mmCIF file of all heavy atoms in Angstrom:
data_model
loop_
_atom_site.group_PDB
_atom_site.id
_atom_site.type_symbol
_atom_site.label_atom_id
_atom_site.label_comp_id
_atom_site.label_asym_id
_atom_site.label_seq_id
_atom_site.Cartn_x
_atom_site.Cartn_y
_atom_site.Cartn_z
ATOM 1 N N VAL A 8 -11.524 272.710 83.392
ATOM 2 C CA VAL A 8 -11.829 271.523 82.584
ATOM 3 C C VAL A 8 -12.328 271.961 81.228
ATOM 4 O O VAL A 8 -13.144 272.889 81.163
ATOM 5 C CB VAL A 8 -12.861 270.663 83.265
ATOM 6 C CG1 VAL A 8 -13.145 269.352 82.464
ATOM 7 C CG2 VAL A 8 -12.484 270.301 84.702
ATOM 8 N N GLU A 9 -11.839 271.380 80.215
ATOM 9 C CA GLU A 9 -12.303 271.608 78.819
ATOM 10 C C GLU A 9 -12.810 270.332 78.253
ATOM 11 O O GLU A 9 -12.098 269.297 78.283
ATOM 12 C CB GLU A 9 -11.211 272.188 77.982
ATOM 13 C CG GLU A 9 -10.640 273.487 78.447
ATOM 14 C CD GLU A 9 -9.385 273.936 77.720
ATOM 15 O OE1 GLU A 9 -8.828 273.181 76.914
ATOM 16 O OE2 GLU A 9 -8.908 275.029 78.070
ATOM 17 N N ARG A 10 -14.039 270.350 77.724
ATOM 18 C CA ARG A 10 -14.580 269.171 77.061
ATOM 19 C C ARG A 10 -14.290 269.286 75.574
ATOM 20 O O ARG A 10 -14.346 270.399 75.007
ATOM 21 C CB ARG A 10 -16.083 269.107 77.219
ATOM 22 C CG ARG A 10 -16.506 268.660 78.583
ATOM 23 C CD ARG A 10 -18.005 268.416 78.626
ATOM 24 N NE ARG A 10 -18.330 268.113 80.016
ATOM 25 C CZ ARG A 10 -19.592 267.872 80.381
ATOM 26 N NH1 ARG A 10 -20.543 267.839 79.513
ATOM 27 N NH2 ARG A 10 -19.821 267.623 81.630
ATOM 28 N N GLY A 11 -13.971 268.168 74.972
ATOM 29 C CA GLY A 11 -13.740 268.118 73.567
ATOM 30 C C GLY A 11 -14.429 266.910 72.935
ATOM 31 O O GLY A 11 -15.048 266.091 73.700
ATOM 32 N N PRO A 12 -14.329 266.737 71.647
ATOM 33 C CA PRO A 12 -15.023 265.642 71.011
ATOM 34 C C PRO A 12 -14.502 264.271 71.419
ATOM 35 O O PRO A 12 -15.240 263.244 71.420
ATOM 36 C CB PRO A 12 -14.776 265.818 69.498
ATOM 37 C CG PRO A 12 -13.585 266.711 69.433
ATOM 38 C CD PRO A 12 -13.588 267.539 70.695
ATOM 39 N N GLY A 13 -13.249 264.160 71.860
ATOM 40 C CA GLY A 13 -12.699 262.888 72.272
ATOM 41 C C GLY A 13 -12.504 262.771 73.727
ATOM 42 O O GLY A 13 -11.784 261.860 74.183
ATOM 43 N N GLY A 14 -13.117 263.552 74.566
ATOM 44 C CA GLY A 14 -13.047 263.408 75.988
ATOM 45 C C GLY A 14 -12.928 264.770 76.707
ATOM 46 O O GLY A 14 -13.587 265.735 76.287
ATOM 47 N N LYS A 15 -12.140 264.849 77.744
ATOM 48 C CA LYS A 15 -11.944 266.064 78.512
ATOM 49 C C LYS A 15 -10.520 266.254 78.916
ATOM 50 O O LYS A 15 -9.782 265.304 78.971
ATOM 51 C CB LYS A 15 -12.879 266.098 79.744
ATOM 52 C CG LYS A 15 -12.440 265.171 80.814
ATOM 53 C CD LYS A 15 -13.413 265.254 82.026
ATOM 54 C CE LYS A 15 -13.151 264.173 83.060
ATOM 55 N NZ LYS A 15 -13.355 262.787 82.592
ATOM 56 N N THR A 16 -10.171 267.484 79.130
ATOM 57 C CA THR A 16 -8.833 267.858 79.623
ATOM 58 C C THR A 16 -8.971 268.618 80.885
ATOM 59 O O THR A 16 -9.634 269.665 80.947
ATOM 60 C CB THR A 16 -8.070 268.701 78.544
ATOM 61 O OG1 THR A 16 -7.920 267.935 77.320
ATOM 62 C CG2 THR A 16 -6.673 269.137 79.084
ATOM 63 N N VAL A 17 -8.328 268.112 81.914
ATOM 64 C CA VAL A 17 -8.270 268.793 83.192
ATOM 65 C C VAL A 17 -6.881 269.503 83.191
ATOM 66 O O VAL A 17 -5.884 268.857 82.948
ATOM 67 C CB VAL A 17 -8.423 267.929 84.409
ATOM 68 C CG1 VAL A 17 -8.416 268.701 85.710
ATOM 69 C CG2 VAL A 17 -9.700 267.121 84.274
ATOM 70 N N TRP A 18 -6.887 270.822 83.458
ATOM 71 C CA TRP A 18 -5.621 271.562 83.360
ATOM 72 C C TRP A 18 -5.461 272.474 84.544
ATOM 73 O O TRP A 18 -6.437 272.797 85.248
ATOM 74 C CB TRP A 18 -5.570 272.411 82.087
ATOM 75 C CG TRP A 18 -6.705 273.375 82.004
ATOM 76 C CD1 TRP A 18 -7.987 273.145 81.452
ATOM 77 C CD2 TRP A 18 -6.769 274.709 82.544
ATOM 78 N NE1 TRP A 18 -8.781 274.261 81.639
ATOM 79 C CE2 TRP A 18 -8.088 275.224 82.223
ATOM 80 C CE3 TRP A 18 -5.860 275.490 83.202
ATOM 81 C CZ2 TRP A 18 -8.465 276.495 82.603
ATOM 82 C CZ3 TRP A 18 -6.255 276.779 83.554
ATOM 83 C CH2 TRP A 18 -7.511 277.271 83.280
ATOM 84 N N CYS A 19 -4.197 272.870 84.755
ATOM 85 C CA CYS A 19 -3.907 273.915 85.776
ATOM 86 C C CYS A 19 -2.695 274.660 85.324
ATOM 87 O O CYS A 19 -1.896 274.177 84.544
ATOM 88 C CB CYS A 19 -3.774 273.283 87.158
ATOM 89 S SG CYS A 19 -2.317 272.231 87.310
ATOM 90 N N GLU A 20 -2.529 275.872 85.835
ATOM 91 C CA GLU A 20 -1.406 276.720 85.528
ATOM 92 C C GLU A 20 -0.728 277.058 86.880
ATOM 93 O O GLU A 20 -1.384 277.514 87.845
ATOM 94 C CB GLU A 20 -1.800 278.014 84.865
ATOM 95 C CG GLU A 20 -2.353 277.722 83.441
ATOM 96 C CD GLU A 20 -2.840 278.958 82.729
ATOM 97 O OE1 GLU A 20 -2.657 280.105 83.311
ATOM 98 O OE2 GLU A 20 -3.402 278.848 81.651
ATOM 99 N N VAL A 21 0.574 276.783 86.922
ATOM 100 C CA VAL A 21 1.327 277.018 88.171
ATOM 101 C C VAL A 21 2.480 278.035 87.896
ATOM 102 O O VAL A 21 2.972 278.145 86.810
ATOM 103 C CB VAL A 21 1.871 275.725 88.772
ATOM 104 C CG1 VAL A 21 0.792 274.778 89.141
ATOM 105 C CG2 VAL A 21 2.836 275.033 87.833
ATOM 106 N N VAL A 22 2.871 278.685 88.937
ATOM 107 C CA VAL A 22 4.008 279.603 88.913
ATOM 108 C C VAL A 22 5.257 278.718 89.137
ATOM 109 O O VAL A 22 5.301 277.948 90.110
ATOM 110 C CB VAL A 22 3.896 280.678 89.987
ATOM 111 C CG1 VAL A 22 5.159 281.518 90.032
ATOM 112 C CG2 VAL A 22 2.704 281.536 89.741
ATOM 113 N N ARG A 23 6.179 278.817 88.241
ATOM 114 C CA ARG A 23 7.433 278.023 88.327
ATOM 115 C C ARG A 23 8.468 278.766 89.184
ATOM 116 O O ARG A 23 8.467 279.990 89.209
ATOM 117 C CB ARG A 23 8.000 277.710 86.969
ATOM 118 C CG ARG A 23 7.062 276.864 86.107
ATOM 119 C CD ARG A 23 7.637 276.614 84.736
ATOM 120 N NE ARG A 23 7.975 277.842 84.107
ATOM 121 C CZ ARG A 23 9.117 277.986 83.385
ATOM 122 N NH1 ARG A 23 9.978 277.027 83.267
ATOM 123 N NH2 ARG A 23 9.409 279.144 82.849
ATOM 124 N N GLY A 24 9.383 278.038 89.789
ATOM 125 C CA GLY A 24 10.520 278.565 90.480
ATOM 126 C C GLY A 24 10.207 279.114 91.891
ATOM 127 O O GLY A 24 11.113 279.569 92.540
ATOM 128 N N ARG A 25 9.031 278.912 92.393
ATOM 129 C CA ARG A 25 8.793 279.273 93.760
ATOM 130 C C ARG A 25 9.118 278.138 94.686
ATOM 131 O O ARG A 25 9.155 276.987 94.285
ATOM 132 C CB ARG A 25 7.391 279.788 94.017
ATOM 133 C CG ARG A 25 6.342 278.730 93.934
ATOM 134 C CD ARG A 25 4.997 279.270 94.222
ATOM 135 N NE ARG A 25 4.058 278.171 94.375
ATOM 136 C CZ ARG A 25 2.818 278.279 94.627
ATOM 137 N NH1 ARG A 25 2.302 279.471 94.793
ATOM 138 N NH2 ARG A 25 2.101 277.208 94.799
ATOM 139 N N GLU A 26 9.348 278.440 95.914
ATOM 140 C CA GLU A 26 9.668 277.366 96.899
ATOM 141 C C GLU A 26 8.465 276.460 97.132
ATOM 142 O O GLU A 26 7.356 276.950 97.128
ATOM 143 C CB GLU A 26 10.068 277.997 98.249
ATOM 144 C CG GLU A 26 11.424 278.718 98.203
ATOM 145 C CD GLU A 26 12.534 277.738 97.921
ATOM 146 O OE1 GLU A 26 12.614 276.637 98.555
ATOM 147 O OE2 GLU A 26 13.400 278.077 97.061
ATOM 148 N N PRO A 27 8.632 275.163 97.253
ATOM 149 C CA PRO A 27 7.522 274.272 97.499
ATOM 150 C C PRO A 27 6.893 274.565 98.863
ATOM 151 O O PRO A 27 7.523 275.008 99.791
ATOM 152 C CB PRO A 27 8.098 272.915 97.501
ATOM 153 C CG PRO A 27 9.550 273.070 97.750
ATOM 154 C CD PRO A 27 9.911 274.445 97.241
ATOM 155 N N ALA A 28 5.589 274.349 98.930
ATOM 156 C CA ALA A 28 4.845 274.527 100.195
ATOM 157 C C ALA A 28 5.365 273.494 101.154
ATOM 158 O O ALA A 28 5.769 272.363 100.824
ATOM 159 C CB ALA A 28 3.356 274.324 99.956
ATOM 160 N N ASP A 29 5.390 273.826 102.443
ATOM 161 C CA ASP A 29 5.829 272.926 103.458
ATOM 162 C C ASP A 29 4.569 272.269 104.082
ATOM 163 O O ASP A 29 3.895 272.855 104.877
ATOM 164 C CB ASP A 29 6.595 273.694 104.564
ATOM 165 C CG ASP A 29 7.100 272.744 105.664
ATOM 166 O OD1 ASP A 29 6.996 271.536 105.502
ATOM 167 O OD2 ASP A 29 7.585 273.284 106.644
ATOM 168 N N PHE A 30 4.357 271.015 103.673
ATOM 169 C CA PHE A 30 3.189 270.319 104.214
ATOM 170 C C PHE A 30 3.566 269.443 105.403
ATOM 171 O O PHE A 30 2.764 268.688 105.904
ATOM 172 C CB PHE A 30 2.621 269.395 103.127
ATOM 173 C CG PHE A 30 1.976 270.153 101.934
ATOM 174 C CD1 PHE A 30 2.552 270.114 100.716
ATOM 175 C CD2 PHE A 30 0.834 270.903 102.152
ATOM 176 C CE1 PHE A 30 1.962 270.848 99.665
ATOM 177 C CE2 PHE A 30 0.303 271.630 101.125
ATOM 178 C CZ PHE A 30 0.808 271.554 99.883
ATOM 179 N N GLY A 31 4.803 269.590 105.798
ATOM 180 C CA GLY A 31 5.270 268.806 106.977
ATOM 181 C C GLY A 31 5.427 267.340 106.615
ATOM 182 O O GLY A 31 5.655 266.968 105.484
ATOM 183 N N ASP A 32 5.325 266.540 107.598
ATOM 184 C CA ASP A 32 5.497 265.080 107.478
ATOM 185 C C ASP A 32 4.152 264.414 107.142
ATOM 186 O O ASP A 32 3.541 263.802 108.056
ATOM 187 C CB ASP A 32 6.081 264.487 108.764
ATOM 188 C CG ASP A 32 7.367 263.703 108.437
ATOM 189 O OD1 ASP A 32 7.715 263.616 107.332
ATOM 190 O OD2 ASP A 32 7.883 263.204 109.453
ATOM 191 N N ILE A 33 3.682 264.546 105.922
ATOM 192 C CA ILE A 33 2.383 263.954 105.595
ATOM 193 C C ILE A 33 2.577 262.675 104.831
ATOM 194 O O ILE A 33 3.257 262.564 103.830
ATOM 195 C CB ILE A 33 1.566 264.941 104.667
ATOM 196 C CG1 ILE A 33 1.277 266.209 105.449
ATOM 197 C CG2 ILE A 33 0.282 264.289 104.201
ATOM 198 C CD1 ILE A 33 0.582 267.236 104.639
ATOM 199 N N ALA A 34 2.006 261.623 105.354
ATOM 200 C CA ALA A 34 1.952 260.337 104.653
ATOM 201 C C ALA A 34 0.601 259.777 104.918
ATOM 202 O O ALA A 34 0.179 259.478 105.994
ATOM 203 C CB ALA A 34 3.010 259.389 105.263
ATOM 204 N N VAL A 35 -0.174 259.668 103.867
ATOM 205 C CA VAL A 35 -1.557 259.195 103.955
ATOM 206 C C VAL A 35 -1.640 257.802 103.371
ATOM 207 O O VAL A 35 -1.516 257.606 102.178
ATOM 208 C CB VAL A 35 -2.551 260.121 103.218
ATOM 209 C CG1 VAL A 35 -3.918 259.631 103.408
ATOM 210 C CG2 VAL A 35 -2.380 261.586 103.743
ATOM 211 N N PRO A 36 -1.774 256.752 104.206
ATOM 212 C CA PRO A 36 -1.765 255.354 103.684
ATOM 213 C C PRO A 36 -3.015 255.203 102.791
ATOM 214 O O PRO A 36 -4.088 255.689 103.047
ATOM 215 C CB PRO A 36 -1.834 254.511 104.957
ATOM 216 C CG PRO A 36 -2.097 255.469 106.100
ATOM 217 C CD PRO A 36 -1.926 256.836 105.636
ATOM 218 N N GLY A 37 -2.779 254.499 101.693
ATOM 219 C CA GLY A 37 -3.866 254.121 100.853
ATOM 220 C C GLY A 37 -4.060 255.078 99.673
ATOM 221 O O GLY A 37 -4.728 254.732 98.691
ATOM 222 N N CYS A 38 -3.467 256.270 99.685
ATOM 223 C CA CYS A 38 -3.630 257.198 98.567
ATOM 224 C C CYS A 38 -2.533 256.837 97.516
ATOM 225 O O CYS A 38 -1.435 256.388 97.851
ATOM 226 C CB CYS A 38 -3.448 258.631 98.979
ATOM 227 S SG CYS A 38 -4.872 259.117 99.895
ATOM 228 N N LEU A 39 -2.869 257.090 96.257
ATOM 229 C CA LEU A 39 -1.965 256.733 95.163
ATOM 230 C C LEU A 39 -0.800 257.682 94.977
ATOM 231 O O LEU A 39 0.300 257.254 94.707
ATOM 232 C CB LEU A 39 -2.726 256.629 93.851
ATOM 233 C CG LEU A 39 -3.752 255.523 93.831
ATOM 234 C CD1 LEU A 39 -4.606 255.638 92.566
ATOM 235 C CD2 LEU A 39 -3.060 254.171 93.873
ATOM 236 N N ALA A 40 -1.048 258.948 95.016
ATOM 237 C CA ALA A 40 0.015 259.916 94.711
ATOM 238 C C ALA A 40 0.518 260.621 95.979
ATOM 239 O O ALA A 40 -0.273 261.125 96.777
ATOM 240 C CB ALA A 40 -0.499 261.004 93.778
#
């Protein structure tokens, strides 16, 4: 997280091109994403 004069930025760095993780059949009712 970086704070600035106009708020904050939450950031992350990911490796591109790798296979997605297998989380199986996950469906969580009520969550947004």
Side-chain angles (χ1 to χ4, degrees):
V8 182
E9 298 170 355
R10 286 187 187 181
K15 69 178 171 300
T16 299
V17 183
W18 58 270
C19 65
E20 295 177 3
V21 298
V22 174
R23 297 180 306 138
R25 70 178 192 180
E26 290 296 315
D29 181 9
F30 292 113
D32 233 359
I33 297 177
V35 182
C38 289
L39 296 172

